[in-house]
Amino acid sequence: MRRAIFPGSFDPLTCGHLDIIERSLPLFDEIVIAVLNNPEKNPMFSVEERCEMIGAVLREIETEKCLLTVDSFSGLTADFARKKEAIAIVRGIRAVADYEYELRMALMNRRLEPSIETVFLLAAEEYSYVSSTLMKQVFTLGGRVEGLIPKAIEAKMREKADSGN
Ligand code: ADP
């Protein structure tokens, strides 16, 4: 059983995240989308909302061989990966700017848990500038995020904006 975790904030899930998930499908038997509980980041969506939204989007993906699950965690990614008996931590790299941060994280995680490899997958060119933060900024200012955020997630962003919280 080759299980990987794909940890992140996913506030909210973008097409860039989805692209990384799809690229990792042939590599593993199970991928756990691991939503970091980070209330100090003042997220747009609660961790419960994020898990539910991701679950709904994942149900649309055709996966014959790979199981896709969603879970949340707080604390160290390496501890969560060990708890899940994962062999790998999947991360996406968009540009050189990501590399420096990701390198530090991966080396630290390797020190904490030497048996777990970090696997970097390159972002699709068309999503290489997409981040949750940029999508929230553009959306909040009334710009179009169509095609960069899954439709179901965009609908939730609209609901959230309309309800004013
Ligand atoms: P974190 O706060 O841990 O960086 P994110 O939700 O921002 O959480 O990102 C989770 C992972 O997804 C990271 O490895 C990040 O590099 C990757 N990622 C984010 N956006 C994209 C994208 N557009 N294309 C590819 N990978 C991405």
Side-chain angles (χ1 to χ4, degrees):
M1 176 66 166
R2 299 162 68 80
R3 183 183 293 121
I5 67 162
F6 179 34
S9 307
F10 305 107
D11 184 47
L13 182 88
T14 68
C15 291
H17 291 131
L18 213 46
D19 174 67
I20 294 295
I21 294 170
E22 283 175 340
R23 284 175 198 283
S24 48
L25 290 177
L27 307 178
F28 302 102
D29 300 313
E30 179 178 355
I31 299 156
V32 182
I33 316 306
V35 181
L36 177 63
N37 193 359
N38 50 352
E40 68 284 352
K41 262 194 168 180
N42 195 19
M44 182 180 222
F45 294 100
S46 71
V47 74
E48 293 79 15
E49 288 174 319
R50 281 178 266 161
C51 288
E52 204 185 301
M53 286 153 65
I54 294 169
V57 172
L58 295 187
R59 278 195 287 280
E60 307 283 306
I61 301 180
E62 294 278 330
T63 60
E64 272 170 33
K65 296 206 184 80
C66 181
L67 187 65
L68 280 174
T69 56
V70 189
D71 206 345
S72 63
F73 75 106
S74 14
L76 292 172
T77 305
D79 284 345
F80 182 74
R82 186 191 311 121
K83 201 179 98 194
K84 284 283 174 185
E85 296 178 348
I87 59 161
I89 297 170
V90 171
R91 295 286 288 177
I93 297 266
R94 284 163 291 194
V96 182
D98 278 343
Y99 176 77
E100 288 189 22
Y101 171 74
E102 294 294 340
L103 177 70
R104 271 183 277 137
M105 293 295 288
L107 290 174
M108 192 65 221
N109 284 332
R110 182 187 278 170
R111 189 187 171 100
L112 292 168
E113 193 49 67
S115 66
I116 300 175
E117 285 297 338
T118 298
V119 174
F120 293 115
L121 297 174
L122 290 188
E125 279 167 52
E126 67 261 44
Y127 303 132
S128 62
Y129 63 96
V130 172
S131 70
S132 299
T133 306
L134 182 63
M135 294 303 104
K136 283 185 283 192
Q137 281 170 348
V138 171
F139 180 85
T140 310
L141 296 172
R144 288 182 51 220
V145 290
E146 209 182 309
L148 304 177
I149 295 265
K151 278 199 166 51
I153 306 276
E154 198 187 332
K156 290 283 178 195
M157 288 172 89
R158 200 157 301 286
E159 250 176 54
K160 176 96 22 190
D162 291 345
S163 74
N165 54 46

